[in-house]
């Protein structure tokens, strides 16, 4: 079988009774649910896998060379005519108490060898039969794991592997027994005929002396088969030989993998004894202290002057990669408190680098203990835990080929170039989490205030000061142009008084009319009988006069002396979804582009542009825009994986930041405006979406007091996502609504302490493994494990478990 091939044996293979040898190369898989009969030998090479389902049979006429993964389920049988040879990269898993593995069936005088990983997953009665038939050599790299969780017996001596003689023993460091009741005594005992697990003081039959490395019992050489077996023609397969009369290790082929060397022998990778260092990128990777399992957020702030962990490992890449750390134990080692991967010399771009090659891989190693430093920009980093290695997978941020079919077929690699002009961009610093804000309220003061508009009317000085001094930029565009300009002036004055330079932008919707007065709108500019979001009338983009008016007004407002630019909303042409038409050639798209290209270089042009569910992510807009607003980042349409929407959105944002674009990230997990405070409005029933309150707003509307615990939980999740994408000129907004007509906490979250805690510069890019991300800043380490949740919990049913560690 070629590398990567897959085969299933679902009926008896009686046609393979003639001399046949099967070789499964790297990455090949074989699933056996019936009977597989091979008259020759079976060779499983690195990363190959054979799995026997319950009740299946694999009958091998000659030898089994197992340099891969072999799993056998209960009531299954594996029969090996000659010997078993399992080198250090072998992984044999035996499940249940009714399996049968027998070697030496056709010639019981042969030597079998175990140098890799052997795992027993006990059934109620323990394990089944494993008999090598002749002599057994247990190599110095052999590992033994017993999972006795399902064991229902009591005191017993359970045979693990039977033999006629033995050389060597399992190093106690490589033996792990788990799942037994507390205070149960357990011991590996070496008998004359087998290795036993002794539970609660039971003893194995006829034990030998206490020396586990005693020499094997000598077999009668006349019983051996002196005729070379056809297996000897395979240089990678251990020849079938008689049991030697002496244990001469130099007379046998090496049992070690020549590509695997002890860690200490690798001159490029040495576990470093950490020392305090002033360089920000060498700040310590903190050890996570788990919090209560009932809370999704765990915080464990270490002392400010805590020493650098003494068991931190630093992996420094060369221009092309690194020689992997090798070990016969667990990797990454559980006692290693941190791993730093330094890419200062790395220049090879996308690719896969093996960091560890070990017999036992620890996929549960906490991602927050791994830190990337000094890597070049434009890359996406993922950690992959394989059967015998831990790999760093490096991808281009402009490559979307591994996502679902719509993304990988419509997204173009390298869509747009890096931004040239940035002098007009908003201010930015890493003191705290950088934010932007949005806000709106009814312009009139109601005569009879209601729960949904009691704060309507002019903005208060306190509201203006919060907008100006807690955020780097904002947009606003409701009511008359004079009102908008007056609001901008107040924000600018408050910002300057505090020594800041807050940027304001004009909100201008490209799809629907939001009721702004005094802007020269004509009825013929609107589509007859058509409405959009919240019943707003839609523009008629087929009317060239309307398009010219729309561009002229947006340009005029963006260049007011109190304005710093224009924010264009609703730029998508959904009629072109799935390449139904040319997205760049619609009347609406041309209108949006015309405004963006007419805006002077010193005026901001940002819009609701990048959206992961749109063809090519709408990335063509970035060729002429200064940046993008992000919303609906968790939405996964159609057959797209529930969690892929946020992953693609995060990559789109990181690509934009890499190319020096402004990113305005909206991390809100729900949209619960003031209108839902109306007690006459019912909650939505299943299937209802109009005229009712979404279930995910329960606890956030029609309440007497601020739901601070719910708000904080939302912020913890939303902020963790943002911190995985934030770079210079990236700003986050997290509140549940821009509606300022009622409670202040609905639109302004700057009072929540997480937003005022010190952040500091990032020490490196984020690291991903599966759906878990981690990243480190000067004053914070953060991890989020994304997970699917109910749509009653958040708008798009995506949540996460979060860890924050402040220092």
């Amino acid at each position: 079988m070629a590398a990567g091939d897959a085969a299933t044996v679902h009926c008896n293979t009686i046609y393979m009774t003639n001399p046949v040898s099967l070789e499964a190369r790297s990455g090949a898989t074989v699933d056996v649910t019936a009977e597989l009969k091979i008259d020759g030998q079976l060779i499983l090479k690195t990363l190959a896998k054979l799995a026997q389902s319950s009740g299946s049979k694999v009958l091998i006429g000659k030898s089994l060379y197992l340099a891969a993964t072999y799993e056998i389920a209960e009531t299954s049988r594996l029969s090996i005519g000659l010997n078993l040879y399992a080198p250090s990269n072998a992984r044999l898993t035996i499940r249940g108490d009714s399996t049968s593995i027998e070697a030496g069936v056709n010639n019981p005088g042969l030597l079998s060898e175990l140098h890799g990983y052997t795992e027993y997953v006990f059934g109620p009665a323990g394990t089944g039969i494993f008999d090598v038939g002749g002599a057994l050599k247990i190599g110095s790299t052999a590992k033994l794991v017993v999972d006795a969780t399902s064991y229902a017996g009591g005191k017993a001596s359970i045979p693990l592997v039977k033999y006629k003689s033995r050389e060597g023993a399992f190093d106690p460091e490589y033996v792990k027994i788990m799942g037994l009741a507390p205070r149960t005594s357990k011991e590996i005992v070496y008998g004359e005929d087998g290795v036993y697990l002794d539970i609660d003081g039971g003893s194995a039959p006829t034990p030998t002396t206490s020396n586990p490395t005693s020499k094997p019992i000598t077999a009668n050489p006349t019983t051996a088969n002196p005729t070379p077996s056809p297996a000897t023609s395979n240089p990678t397969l251990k020849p079938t030989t008689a049991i030697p009369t002496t244990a001469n290790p130099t007379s046998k082929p090496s049992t070690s993998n020549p590509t695997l060397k002890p860690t200490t022998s690798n001159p490029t990778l040495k576990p470093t004894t950490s020392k305090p260092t002033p360089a920000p990128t060498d700040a310590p990777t903190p050890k996570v202290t788990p919090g209560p399992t009932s809370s999704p957020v765990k915080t464990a702030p270490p002392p400010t002057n805590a020493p650098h962990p003494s068991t931190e490992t630093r992996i420094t890449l060369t221009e092309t990669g690194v020689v992997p750390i090798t070990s016969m134990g667990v990797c990454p080692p559980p006692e290693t408190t941190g791993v730093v991967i330094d890419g200062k010399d790395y220049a090879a771009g996308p690719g896969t680098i093996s960091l560890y090659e070990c017999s036992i891989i620890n996929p549960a190693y906490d991602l927050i203990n791994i830190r990337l430093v000094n890597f070049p920009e434009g890359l996406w980093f993922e950690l992959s835990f394989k059967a015998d290695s831990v790999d760093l997978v490096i991808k281009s941020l402009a490559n979307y080929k591994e996502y679902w079919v719509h993304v990988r077929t419509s997204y173009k690699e390298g869509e747009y170039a890096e931004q040239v002009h940035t002098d007009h961009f908003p201010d930015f610093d890493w003191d705290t989490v950088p934010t932007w804000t949005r806000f709106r309220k009814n312009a009139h003061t109601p005569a009879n205030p209601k729960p949904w508009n009691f704060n309507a009317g002019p903005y208060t000085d306190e509201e203006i000061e919060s907008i100006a001094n807690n955020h780097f930029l904002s947009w606003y565009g409701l009511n008359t142009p004079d009102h908008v300009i007056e609001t901008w002036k107040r924000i600018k004055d408050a910002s300057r008084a505090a020594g800041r330079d807050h940027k304001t932008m004009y909100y201008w919707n490209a799809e629907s009319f939001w009721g702004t007065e005094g802007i020269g709108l004509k009825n013929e500019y609107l589509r007859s009988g058509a409405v959009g979001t919240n019943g707003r009338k839609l523009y008629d983009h087929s009317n060239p006069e309307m398009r010219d008016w729309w561009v002229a007004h947006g340009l005029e407002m963006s260049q007011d002396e109190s304005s710093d630019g224009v924010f264009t909303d609703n730029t998508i042409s959904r009629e072109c979804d799935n390449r139904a038409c040319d997205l760049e050639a619609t009347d609406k798209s041309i209108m949006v582009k015309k405004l963006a290209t007419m805006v002077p270089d010193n005026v901001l042009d940002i819009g609701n542009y990048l959206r992961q569910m749109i063809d090519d992510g709408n990335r063509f807009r970035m060729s002429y825009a200064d940046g993008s607003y992000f919303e609906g980042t968790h939405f996964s349409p159609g057959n797209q994986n529930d969690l892929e929407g946020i992953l693609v959105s995060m990559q789109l944002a990181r690509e934009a930041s890499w190319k020096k674009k402004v990113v305005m990230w909206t991390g809100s997990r729900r949209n619960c405006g003031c209108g839902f405070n109306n007690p006459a409005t019912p909650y939505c029933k299943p299937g209802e979406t109009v005229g009712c309150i979404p279930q995910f707003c329960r606890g956030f509307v029609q309440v007497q007091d601020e739901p601070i615990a719910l708000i904080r939980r939302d912020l913890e999740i939303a902020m963790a996502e943002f911190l995985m994408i934030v770079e210079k000129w990236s700003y986050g907004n997290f509140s549940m609504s821009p509606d300022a007509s009622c409670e202040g906490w609905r639109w302004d979250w700057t009072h929540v302490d997480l937003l005022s805690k010190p952040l500091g510069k990032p020490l490196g890019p984020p690291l991903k493994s599966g759906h878990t991300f981690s990243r480190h800043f000067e004053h914070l380490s953060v991890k989020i494990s994304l997970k699917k949740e109910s749509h009653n919990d958040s708008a798009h049913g995506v949540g996460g478990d979060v860890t924050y560690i402040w220092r």
Side-chain angles (χ1 to χ4, degrees), residues 469-604:
N469 299 329
N470 291 324
H471 309 279
F472 288 96
L473 72 161
S474 62
W475 74 55
Y476 186 60
L478 295 183
N479 305 311
T480 65
D482 288 343
H483 166 79
V484 171
I485 292 171
E486 177 60 27
T487 304
W488 285 343
K489 287 181 177 178
R490 293 180 66 194
I491 294 172
K492 286 290 188 180
D493 289 344
S495 175
R496 294 187 185 105
R500 297 173 60 89
D501 183 20
H502 181 97
K503 299 288 187 183
T504 60
M505 292 184 293
Y506 182 57
Y507 176 90
W508 194 218
N509 198 296
E511 180 178 271
S512 57
F513 173 58
W514 276 58
T516 307
E517 302 172 1
I519 58 175
L521 177 75
K522 299 179 180 180
N523 287 333
E524 54 264 35
Y525 294 170
L526 303 174
R527 292 169 57 185
S528 177
V531 295
T533 306
N534 294 329
R536 296 184 182 94
K537 295 182 179 180
L538 298 175
Y539 292 127
D540 181 3
H541 297 106
S542 67
N543 185 335
E545 183 181 344
M546 173 266 158
R547 299 197 301 269
D548 290 343
W549 162 82
W550 185 90
V551 171
H553 180 69
L555 193 62
E556 177 186 1
M557 293 297 291
S558 70
Q559 295 184 77
D560 184 87
E561 62 179 1
S562 296
S563 172
D564 296 293
V566 61
F567 170 80
T568 308
D569 199 9
N570 269 329
T571 67
I572 309 301
S573 297
R574 297 307 299 264
E575 68 272 16
C576 292
D577 282 359
N578 299 312
R579 288 164 284 188
C581 60
D582 185 356
L583 183 60
E584 300 184 48
T586 66
D587 290 335
K588 178 180 177 181
S589 182
I590 293 172
M591 178 187 78
V592 170
K593 181 178 180 179
K594 185 176 181 180
L595 173 60
T597 54
M598 291 183 68
V599 167
D601 286 345
N602 64 342
V603 173
L604 286 169

Side-chain angles (χ1 to χ4, degrees), residues 737-769:
S737 173
D739 196 341
S741 297
C742 55
E743 307 99 335
W745 51 260
R746 192 166 301 280
W747 69 279
D748 187 357
W749 283 10
T750 54
H751 64 290
V752 184
D753 66 318
L754 291 175
L755 293 175
S756 59
K757 285 180 174 288
L759 178 63
K761 294 180 179 179
L763 303 182
L767 178 62
K768 173 181 178 290
S769 182

Side-chain angles (χ1 to χ4, degrees), residues 317 319-322 346-355 375 378-384 386 391-397 399 402:
L317 305 188
E319 289 186 3
T320 57
V322 75
Y346 184 71
T352 299
I353 300 171
S354 288
L355 304 176
F375 277 91
L379 300 175
W380 179 271
F381 300 90
E382 299 184 17
L383 204 65
S384 174
K386 296 184 178 179
D391 298 343
L392 181 64
V393 182
I394 304 175
K395 305 175 184 178
S396 168
L397 283 172
N399 186 340
E402 295 189 10

Side-chain angles (χ1 to χ4, degrees), residues 665-692:
W665 181 268
T666 301
S668 176
R669 289 167 40 79
R670 65 198 76 246
N671 186 1
C672 304
C674 293
F676 292 149
N677 276 344
N678 187 342
T681 306
Y683 279 92
C684 298
K685 297 177 181 179
E688 292 182 338
T689 58
V690 180
C692 54

Side-chain angles (χ1 to χ4, degrees), residues 241 246 437 587 668:
T241 61
T246 60
T437 190
D587 290 335
S668 176

